[in-house]
Each structure stands twice: as structure tokens, then as C-alpha cells.
Amino acid sequence: LISVSHRWLCRDACDVPTESSPMGLRLGAMRRLLRTHFSPTREEEPSFARRVRHALGRRAVGGWDAVVFFDFAGLPQMPRSEEEENVFRQCLPHMGILYAMFPTMILHEVLPESHGYFESGWCFCEYQTAKLGGQLKEFSPDGVGA
């Protein structure tokens, strides 16, 4: 399981297309990080021997499958039905467990007109929880020292 921490880019959507990421800023960043980790391209790892060693190592530790928890898609969003509201309220108190116990991928990119990642209380809390749990090393190594 990989937990994703990200700043929503607007109230009604967590992702928007950009010139550099036409499928969405979040999706583009997530795809780049996951591809580099699970299946680096020739541009990312020029050495064929290292790419083969990487592939064999991944196969030895369980293969290529991963479950990604992305809150916007994983929890009911507004507007919610009464049943969805109950599910949301049951899940919310346990969200910190995802960031404390599972590798966390920080997607810190925002649009120029958006507030930064650390300016969001939710993001700051998720980051600090993942940092205290030692869950930033694998997918967010640049965030470990922040």
C-alpha cells in the first residue's frame, strides 16, 4: 500500500490538466514517481544491467503490483448521501494510520495561483505523521529532510 499526500488544487477537484501534464498535474507526478520506482525507462536509468537487476529485484520481493490510496478517489466526496457521510465519518479518524504505517508519496506540486503544499494544515499533518513514522524514504526521499 502506498499512501499519497497532496494539496487539492481546487475545492471540487484534486487534479487539473496542465501544459506539462495534460492528464492532470497529480496523475502526471504520480505516474513519474511510480514508473521510476517500479519500471525505470532508459532515460531514467541508462544502464541496461541496472534496469535488469532492478526488474529481477522487484520480482523477488513481490512483483509489480501496488495499491495506491488516493484520498479523493478513496473516500466519498461532497455532495455525499447519508450513507456516504457515515462511511466518511467512520474513516476520517483512522486516516493518520495510513501515513504513519505505510510508505507515503508526497505530491508537493501546485499551480502558481494555489497555496503551497505546507500551507495546508491537512498536508502538513500528513507529512509530519509520515515523517514521524519513517514512511517518506521510499517514495518521497526529497521530503525527508524538509
Side-chain angles (χ1 to χ4, degrees):
L1 177 70
I2 303 165
S3 299
V4 176
S5 177
H6 62 98
R7 175 99 167 109
W8 286 25
L9 299 176
C10 72
R11 184 166 176 78
D12 300 319
C14 64
D15 205 359
V16 294
T18 64
E19 191 173 309
S20 63
S21 297
M23 291 188 296
L25 182 65
R26 294 281 164 261
L27 182 59
M30 208 175 351
R31 287 181 69 216
R32 282 188 299 279
L33 282 165
L34 290 171
R35 183 182 61 229
T36 301
H37 188 78
F38 287 101
S39 184
T41 64
R42 185 174 300 155
E43 292 81 29
E44 294 160 341
E45 177 52 72
S47 167
F48 178 74
R50 284 193 198 130
R51 285 196 318 271
V52 169
R53 190 171 40 233
H54 180 84
L56 292 174
R58 284 288 158 219
R59 184 168 183 167
V61 295
W64 305 100
D65 294 337
V67 174
V68 177
F69 175 78
F70 193 75
D71 63 352
F72 192 85
L75 292 174
Q77 301 303 316
M78 296 298 276
R80 294 187 277 265
S81 68
E82 186 176 332
E83 182 181 348
E84 290 171 331
E85 183 68 26
N86 290 334
V87 168
F88 181 81
R89 295 288 167 201
Q90 288 176 347
C91 293
L92 198 59
H94 306 288
M95 293 296 297
I97 293 169
L98 291 170
Y99 303 101
M101 297 185 67
F102 297 100
T104 300
M105 179 186 300
I106 304 294
L107 301 178
H108 55 80
E109 301 87 351
V110 294
L111 299 173
E113 63 272 11
S114 299
H115 295 293
Y117 175 84
F118 286 110
E119 293 177 47
S120 162
W122 281 108
C123 294
F124 182 78
C125 181
E126 291 168 359
Y127 172 83
Q128 291 298 334
T129 302
K131 186 176 179 180
L132 288 169
Q135 300 301 330
L136 296 174
K137 296 175 200 125
E138 193 168 357
F139 296 102
S140 303
D142 58 338
V144 175

